[in-house]
Every structure is written in structure tokens, then in C-alpha cells.
Amino acid sequence: MINYARQSQEEQPEAAPPPVEEHIAPAPRVSVQAFCETVETAAAVQSAGEDRRLGKAHLKIQMGGMAAAIEAYRSAPTPNVIVLESDGRNDLLGGLDHLATVCDAGTRVVVIGRINDVTLYRELVRRGVSDYVLAPVGAIDVVRSICNLFSAPEAKAVGRIIAVVGAKGGVGASTISHNVAWAIARDLAMDAVVADLDLAFGTAGLDYNQDPPQGIADAVFSPDRVDTAFIDRLLSKCTDHLSLLAAPATLDRVYDFGTDAFDSVFDTLRATMPCIVLDIPHQWSGWTKRALIGADDILIVAAPDLANLRNTKNLFDLLKASRPNDRPPLYCLNQVGVPKRPEIAAAEFAKAIESQPVVSIPFEPQIFGSAANNGQMIAEISANHKSIEMFLQIAQRLTGRSETKKQKSSLLSPLIEKLRGK
């Protein structure tokens, strides 16, 4: 479906991040060749090629527009996607007809143009153009156009990956991630899966009181077998909406992974699961960095001390630079108010990070300790505990969804039910 007359970059706020609700699924391994007429468009396409969602695409940029494209494909096969810029001075429709004579079947064409005219749009549709984007364009416009070519617009959005990581070891990032995933499944009614990536010491199985015989290690060590059916067999069901991809939490082997070791697992989960929560261990390696940068949304969990402040700032700076077309990471403060411990105030934290924490979760060792030892979530221990509302706030910010409203019963409901029974 062609998106016509998309709002131009000039009409949008200069530094506005994409809306929280907008979810652009990553493009598969495809070849993309762009033929630009202006350096501004070429720069936007180049920036788009560096976006995480086009990380698997092979992008090549040339100048010359339509004429250069026709000349290039006289003797060379066409790629999966051709991006063409037309400034409106040339014969766009005639050029497309000429291009069609040298274009391979199945190649998709995206046109970037400056003419906002319904007649032109209809002619482009008739010629099979996949998308028409009004110039001037930004990097996110190009990313959106290319990625949307490979996701059915009528399909339910799936595959939002949320990464949760601690700024320092022992700050409770796993506990937060597991309770937030519980809120996503229970309160937002989204099907979700928790992937415990700490294969040696992961606690998700303990927290959800699950002891599955198989888990994420079976997928990572058998990448050739990974598909939807294989992953389904590895999932352990915690509730109607929540599943677990558990870590073995054993030391019988060494878990040294390559940078792309988890790619096939994440790609398969994206294809079938609306929400994937990654419980990322506090370590810095190629694959943890790749998992963070490749996530749709990120939550950093920090305790209110100097080391956490430094690490959170470093993570923020890295992720903002690596993900220029995404909103910045979110962070929350945890274990706030430990007796007799000097702490950095939330306001000072926010000033250094230049961002407010989503929530500040107080230090309450009794209820959190009981939940951990019993293999339960906080909501199961105490249904009205104040931290439950905080977990829901985090879940809503990360997913862009509001709480599923439960239908309220009226004062006459008991009487009506009795009459129905009679």
C-alpha cells in the first residue's frame, strides 16, 4: 500500500523523536540501491543506512537520479529495492516506463519526489511503484519507507523488543525486567516473552517458579535449527499472556558468544511475539552491545550512587549516538532509601543524565526478598503494593500502551445476575 503525501521533514519539529506508538520492524537481508539528484537526499539515505533497522540491508548510493538508474541496469541485475529521486523537472513517468524495460521482476521501487498531485500518485500506483515520499526527506522517512515494504500494513504489529540492563551489577535489573514483563502481560494484555540472556547465572526461572528442561541455550548453540516451531518448544508458559525463554543457569560450559549469536533467536521471536523483554546481564561484549542497540526500546536500571550515575551516563551517550532515529533510552532508579547509605538525589541524577527517571523504586527488602524466595512477582505477594503501579508506568512508557480497562460492575449487577439465573 502506497503512502501518499507523507508529511515532510520541514513540517515536523526539528528534533522531535518518532512517536512512542510508532513501531518500524527491521528490514530483512535485502539489497537497496538509491539514485539521488540532490546531496541533501543522498545524505538522508546515507544516514538511513546506518540505522539499526537497516542493519541487515546492503545499501549503495549513486547520484544521477532516473537517468543513472536506467543506464546502470542496462547490463546489471536490479536489486531488491530501488530508491529514485525525481526533482520534478524530468519526465518521471516516462523514465519509469523506460526503467521497467530493464528492471527485473520483483524489484520494488520507491520514488522520492516534490510533486504533491493526486493524478501523479495514481499513475505511479498504476505503474507498480511501491511507495512515494514527498521531499525533503529525513533519515527516518527513508527507513520507514524501505522497512514497510517488507511488512504487511494490515497485519498486527509484532516484534517490539525491549531491552532491560543494569547500570551496575546487583541493582535489581532482572527483578525489574521480570515484574515489568508481568505488567505488560497482565495489565496491558499483550502476549510477551522474557528472554533471560544471563545463561550462567540467570534468575528468570527462579523468579517465575519455572524449571524447564530446555531454554535459550538450546537455540543459541543450535542456530541452524532455529525457527518458529523450535522456539515454541523451548518456551515455558508462565501465564496466559507471558512465556519464558529460560537460561540454563549452569556452569558446565563456557558461554563465549560471537557478536551475532542471538540474531536468529531475536528474528524468530520478532516474527510471532508482540513483545519481547530481554533481560541483559551486566557485562560488556559484542553481543550485549548489539542486543541493546538493536532493541526498539531500552530501560536502564540504576541505583542512586556515583558509579551507577557514571555508567548510566556512558550508556545514554553511546545509545543516543548509535540510535539517532530512535527516542533516547529510559532509566529508573531502584533501591532508593537504603538506611544510612549516602545517595545521589534523583534531581541530581536527572541533571547529569539530562533526563528524568521514569520512576524511583524504594528499597523494600522484605517484600522483594519474599517474592524472590517464593518464585513470585510483587503483584502476587501484595496486590496493592505501590511498586506495582511503578512497574505499570514503566510498561506503559516502554510499549506506548495504556492499561486495559476492566469493565466496572454497577450497584445493580448482583440483582441482574440473580434475575438472569432465574
Side-chain angles (χ1 to χ4, degrees):
M1 181 177 180
I2 297 178
N3 300 319
Y4 180 65
R6 190 175 287 147
Q7 185 181 25
S8 69
Q9 189 182 32
E10 289 182 344
E11 298 172 51
Q12 299 172 353
E14 195 168 320
V20 176
E21 292 79 5
E22 181 184 34
H23 176 61
I24 304 174
R29 298 185 189 279
V30 292
S31 56
V32 182
Q33 292 186 11
F35 295 85
C36 305
E37 293 191 342
T38 63
V39 292
E40 292 81 9
T41 297
V45 176
Q46 179 66 42
S47 179
E50 297 168 0
D51 188 274
R52 62 180 178 84
R53 287 157 287 210
L54 293 181
K56 294 182 180 180
H58 179 72
L59 176 64
K60 182 179 179 181
I61 304 171
Q62 295 178 235
M63 302 302 291
M66 181 72 72
I70 294 172
E71 184 62 31
Y73 299 129
R74 290 185 191 277
S75 57
T78 51
N80 300 111
V81 181
I82 299 174
V83 179
L84 291 170
E85 182 185 13
S86 171
D87 61 7
R89 293 190 298 269
N90 300 324
D91 183 3
L92 173 59
L93 298 178
L96 287 172
D97 290 339
H98 195 174
L99 180 65
T101 64
V102 296
C103 196
D104 298 337
T107 295
R108 307 183 190 198
V109 177
V110 174
V111 175
I112 299 174
R114 300 177 183 274
I115 303 174
N116 189 357
D117 180 75
V118 68
T119 303
L120 173 63
Y121 164 67
R122 288 170 177 164
E123 288 298 324
L124 293 174
V125 171
R126 192 170 67 83
R127 284 166 170 79
V129 169
S130 300
D131 199 6
Y132 181 64
V133 188
L134 283 177
V137 296
I140 192 64
D141 300 315
V142 179
V143 171
R144 183 188 297 109
S145 179
I146 295 174
C147 290
N148 284 351
L149 297 179
F150 301 95
S151 60
E154 69 277 2
K156 182 181 177 182
V158 297
R160 180 185 290 271
I161 288 184
I162 294 169
V164 182
V165 66
K168 189 169 175 281
V171 297
S174 290
T175 298
I176 301 300
S177 67
H178 303 162
N179 279 277
V180 168
W182 184 273
I184 291 172
R186 188 190 70 165
D187 300 319
L188 305 184
M190 291 179 65
D191 287 332
V193 60
V194 173
D196 190 346
L197 304 187
D198 189 351
L199 272 67
F201 304 106
T203 59
L206 296 175
D207 286 352
Y208 290 120
N209 197 24
Q210 300 285 327
D211 187 21
Q214 293 179 301
I216 194 167
D218 298 88
V220 176
F221 287 108
S222 305
D224 296 337
R225 298 175 57 196
V226 173
D227 56 21
T228 302
F230 183 62
I231 291 294
D232 282 345
R233 290 197 298 271
L234 302 181
L235 291 176
S236 175
K237 200 165 187 63
C238 302
T239 69
D240 288 342
H241 290 290
L242 183 64
S243 299
L244 170 64
L245 198 53
T250 59
L251 304 179
D252 55 351
R253 65 171 93 184
V254 176
Y255 304 108
D256 292 331
F257 300 122
T259 302
D260 58 354
F262 289 87
D263 283 8
S264 59
V265 178
F266 296 162
D267 290 345
T268 304
L269 288 172
R270 276 189 188 275
T272 57
M273 190 63 64
C275 186
I276 304 102
V277 178
L278 305 182
D279 181 3
I280 298 181
H282 179 73
Q283 64 182 68
W284 198 240
S285 62
W287 69 265
T288 54
K289 179 180 178 182
R290 185 180 180 92
L292 282 171
I293 292 175
D296 296 293
D297 289 283
I298 302 163
L299 176 70
I300 301 169
V301 180
D305 63 33
L306 184 59
N308 277 273
L309 175 57
R310 179 201 63 186
N311 295 353
T312 301
K313 176 66 173 171
N314 288 343
L315 282 168
F316 252 76
D317 292 345
L318 171 82
L319 293 170
K320 287 170 69 175
S322 302
R323 300 155 48 87
N325 303 313
D326 291 272
R327 66 170 176 165
L330 303 177
Y331 77 97
C332 71
L333 294 177
N334 191 33
Q335 302 172 353
V336 176
V338 175
K340 298 182 180 180
R341 181 182 70 174
E343 295 182 350
I344 297 176
E348 292 299 318
F349 226 96
K351 183 178 178 181
I353 304 299
E354 299 179 347
S355 176
Q356 293 291 332
V358 184
V359 295
S360 293
I361 303 172
F363 177 67
E364 297 192 54
Q366 184 170 357
I367 188 166
F368 279 85
S370 296
N373 288 337
N374 294 340
Q376 292 177 298
M377 297 293 99
I378 300 300
E380 296 177 289
I381 293 285
S382 176
N384 298 316
H385 194 267
K386 56 188 175 182
S387 65
I388 297 172
E389 182 62 31
M390 296 182 183
F391 296 140
L392 177 58
Q393 284 181 253
I394 297 172
Q396 291 171 326
R397 288 285 301 275
L398 288 170
T399 62
R401 295 207 179 184
S402 58
E403 184 177 6
T404 301
K405 300 295 183 183
K406 296 178 181 178
Q407 189 173 2
K408 294 183 178 180
S409 58
S410 69
L411 294 174
L412 298 177
S413 293
L415 178 59
I416 293 172
E417 289 300 321
K418 287 183 179 178
L419 292 174
R420 283 177 179 169
K422 293 180 179 179

